[in-house]
Amino acid sequence: MTSLDKPTQDTGQTQPDARAVTEAALFEAFGGVRGMVETVLPGLLFVAIFTVNKNLHMAAIAALALSLILVVVRLAMKDTVKHAFSGVFGVAFGVVFAMFTGNAKNFYLPGMLYTLGMALAYIVTTLAGVPLMGLILGPIFKENLSWRTRNPGRKKAYTKASWAWGLILLAKCAILFPLYWWADTTQLGWVLVILKIPPFLLAVWLTWVFLTKAPAPIDVFAEMEAEEKAAEERKAAAEAAGGRHRRES
């Protein structure tokens, strides 16, 4: 077996800075406090405007404009825009659905379908033995897919985290989809705003708990760099030995 295939012993121990490393990885993956705020604000503005004047066009345009402003602010600050852009696309799809159907409630439908899709993705990938949380965080931890065969403790942690995300998102859908049919636009909108952050924070916190108790990630990038360096040293030594042999002969 190559060094990348050798299994590591699951000692159940973590590095001293495991908590800080895990917090940084989760912050990068999910955008932190600012990412949460940017996710909530457009929907909050939409439901606030629609609650006041029932004007679908004004509410939709205001929500989309705010999403674009958030992207521009990130660009001006030379900050990462992936979370802001995802918010723009989400709001844009909502605006298209609502404007095309003339039903303000459909502003929320793409986001709800996305939530349901993510819930199923977490559950299906976990049942398949490749938990989605590991696929998301593996590259951030520089471990890629090494946790699947070489680090069973981390695979167990990713499995637990993916189950947590899947079940939490399913529970959220179980609340929202009945409201989509039975409640009016403002009721659905305010419930969506209320349910935006708490389930997300719960899922992130559980992920943090599971990962801080798991073994440290295996830095496969550092391993590959070490192997490349060793190969170069062996090549240089072989060339030097060949040079000496030619001189002696």
Side-chain angles (χ1 to χ4, degrees):
M1 295 194 309
T2 66
S3 63
L4 292 180
D5 295 324
K6 293 178 182 177
T8 56
Q9 183 178 3
D10 184 1
T11 62
Q13 297 178 344
T14 57
Q15 296 177 337
D17 62 345
R19 292 177 176 236
V21 171
T22 302
E23 289 172 3
L26 292 176
F27 186 92
E28 180 177 346
F30 301 113
V33 175
R34 184 174 179 182
M36 287 188 292
V37 171
E38 291 176 343
T39 301
V40 171
L41 283 180
L44 177 60
L45 181 61
F46 178 90
V47 69
I49 293 176
F50 192 82
T51 299
V52 172
N53 60 20
K54 307 299 181 185
N55 189 318
L56 169 59
H57 290 75
M58 180 183 296
I61 293 173
L64 184 58
L66 177 58
S67 297
L68 293 172
I69 290 172
L70 294 174
V71 171
V72 171
V73 170
R74 278 190 177 267
L75 288 172
M77 298 177 65
K78 298 182 179 180
D79 200 354
T80 178
V81 296
K82 62 180 180 179
H83 299 291
F85 265 128
S86 64
V88 169
F89 289 129
V91 172
F93 277 116
V95 168
V96 170
F97 269 64
M99 302 284 275
F100 183 77
T101 62
N103 184 353
K105 196 184 295 186
N106 286 337
F107 174 80
Y108 305 108
L109 186 57
M112 292 167 58
L113 293 174
Y114 175 79
T115 299
L116 178 59
M118 289 302 299
L120 295 177
Y122 278 114
I123 293 173
V124 170
T125 55
T126 302
L127 291 174
V130 193
L132 182 58
M133 190 53 60
L135 300 178
I136 294 172
L137 295 180
I140 297 176
F141 280 113
K142 299 181 180 180
E143 60 182 335
N144 282 353
L145 295 178
S146 64
W147 49 268
R148 290 195 64 200
T149 55
R150 303 177 59 200
N151 208 336
R154 285 191 73 79
K155 182 177 180 180
K156 184 177 180 180
Y158 284 136
T159 298
K160 290 181 179 179
S162 294
W163 274 118
W165 278 89
L167 295 176
I168 289 171
L169 293 179
L170 271 185
K172 182 177 177 179
C173 290
I175 296 173
L176 295 178
F177 277 95
L179 286 176
Y180 175 79
W181 297 108
W182 302 332
D184 60 31
T185 301
T186 56
Q187 291 171 335
L188 175 62
W190 286 113
V191 172
L192 267 164
V193 169
I194 293 171
L195 290 180
K196 199 75 173 183
I197 291 181
F200 174 82
L201 288 179
L202 176 60
V204 170
W205 178 75
L206 288 173
T207 302
W208 178 83
V209 169
F210 296 143
L211 289 179
T212 53
K213 294 180 179 180
I218 300 169
D219 190 337
V220 296
F221 297 118
E223 287 184 339
M224 288 187 289
E225 289 175 358
E227 287 190 356
E228 290 175 359
K229 183 177 180 180
E232 291 175 356
E233 291 175 349
R234 289 194 297 268
K235 181 179 178 181
E239 291 175 349
R244 287 195 301 270
H245 178 73
R246 287 192 295 271
R247 287 193 299 270
E248 292 173 356
S249 60

